[in-house]
Amino acid sequence: MSMAFADTVRSEWTKFRTIPSNIPTMLTAVALMVFPGALTANGASENYQAASEATRAVFDPTYISMYGGFLFAQITVGALGVLVVTHEYATGLIRTSTTVVPRRGRLLGAKVATFALIALLMGWVSSFGSFFLGQAVLGSGGAPTASLGEPGVLRAVVGMGLLWVLVGLSGVALGGLLRSTMSATTVLVAVNFIIPIIGPRLLPDGVGAWVQTYWPIQAGLQITTTVQNAERMLPWPGFGVMAAFTAVLLIAAFALFRSRDA
């Protein structure tokens, strides 16, 4: 008789926490978010003093405190998501898992649910930590700061944690699709880092502008802003683009996971 879903989730949590590298990697992801974010805030506060009035008008202390660290942390949380699936293929444990839980949709669903909760906790610890530290750094440098009670700020900080979930689940999906840690992580880095950061500089202007606006991770990051850029998507529609992209990857991963051999 197959295990109930809650039991499968507990089993997935046990697997995750007993892999020695996972907890240190989680802590590394948080550190990569918080401390580079503070460095970004420090640089922004210095630049603010010499900035033009137009630049000062679009200064977004909330986004600044989180974005710099997220560039690095997203790779780590995505790679952790990849390992949720590929570690079992690398060790051969996937055969045991599919024997104990023959309903493969339930097994992958438990992996998705477990890592979504882990990524959400990591994301909120990181987003609130980087926000508060970043605001302290900005204030000490004489730049404007934000508080959680101001319009859009709490949504942006909470939204950053939600974005961590989507990035992590993209990693889970890619791990299920490719079944190789190196291949899945390479694709993840290309999709979430190389294309949106480097692509607009190399692509023709029109294509580059489209990537900056509608590429999933770029659109999703609008949830973390409080100053609207007229050339970018609104926060929730942008987040919806990233959520839809992640959902497509997960649907494909479920379909393949159910149909092919372990």
Side-chain angles (χ1 to χ4, degrees):
M1 181 176 178
S2 61
M3 301 164 64
F5 185 73
D7 293 329
T8 311
V9 169
R10 281 192 289 270
S11 175
E12 289 303 318
W13 165 241
T14 299
K15 292 177 191 176
F16 182 87
R17 65 183 174 82
T18 52
I19 297 174
S21 62
N22 279 355
I23 300 304
T25 303
M26 287 173 59
L27 297 176
T28 299
V30 174
L32 285 172
M33 176 81 173
V34 174
F35 296 111
L39 292 175
T40 301
N42 182 64
S45 66
E46 293 176 355
N47 293 334
Y48 182 83
Q49 308 307 321
S52 65
E53 286 301 319
T55 300
R56 291 188 177 198
V58 296
F59 190 81
D60 189 342
T62 302
Y63 180 77
I64 286 168
S65 65
M66 298 187 292
Y67 175 70
F70 178 74
L71 285 177
F72 301 99
Q74 64 164 329
I75 303 304
T76 306
V77 70
L80 267 177
V82 168
L83 284 168
V84 165
V85 180
T86 60
H87 179 266
E88 291 201 48
Y89 281 103
T91 60
L93 184 61
I94 191 65
R95 296 183 182 86
T96 303
S97 295
T98 54
T99 299
V100 176
V101 187
R103 294 179 61 179
R104 294 190 176 194
R106 175 182 291 176
L107 177 60
L108 186 56
K111 291 181 183 296
V112 167
T114 302
F115 194 68
L117 291 173
I118 292 169
L120 184 62
L121 177 60
M122 291 168 58
W124 279 345
V125 169
S126 301
S127 63
F128 279 94
S130 60
F131 172 77
F132 287 120
L133 181 58
Q135 299 317 301
V137 171
L138 287 170
S140 67
T145 60
S147 67
L148 291 177
E150 295 176 14
V153 173
L154 183 59
R155 179 260 300 153
V157 179
V158 170
M160 176 57 85
L162 298 177
L163 193 60
W164 273 56
V165 175
L166 296 183
V167 171
L169 293 185
S170 295
V172 174
L174 288 170
L177 289 168
L178 301 177
R179 301 196 292 187
S180 162
T181 302
M182 181 174 293
S183 297
T185 303
T186 299
V187 172
L188 183 80
V189 171
V191 169
N192 283 350
F193 189 84
I194 295 175
I195 293 175
I197 302 301
I198 300 175
R201 297 184 176 91
L202 303 177
L203 296 169
D205 290 344
V207 178
W210 185 92
V211 168
Q212 287 184 316
T213 303
Y214 298 110
W215 194 257
I217 192 66
Q218 294 290 76
L221 275 166
Q222 297 311 301
I223 195 70
T224 69
T225 64
T226 62
V227 178
Q228 179 62 40
N229 183 331
E231 297 179 354
R232 301 289 182 263
M233 298 189 71
L234 293 171
W236 285 113
F239 183 79
V241 169
M242 182 63 184
F245 172 75
T246 306
V248 169
L249 287 179
L250 285 171
I251 290 169
F254 270 94
L256 281 179
F257 192 67
R258 285 172 144 182
S259 64
R260 64 188 178 188
D261 293 336

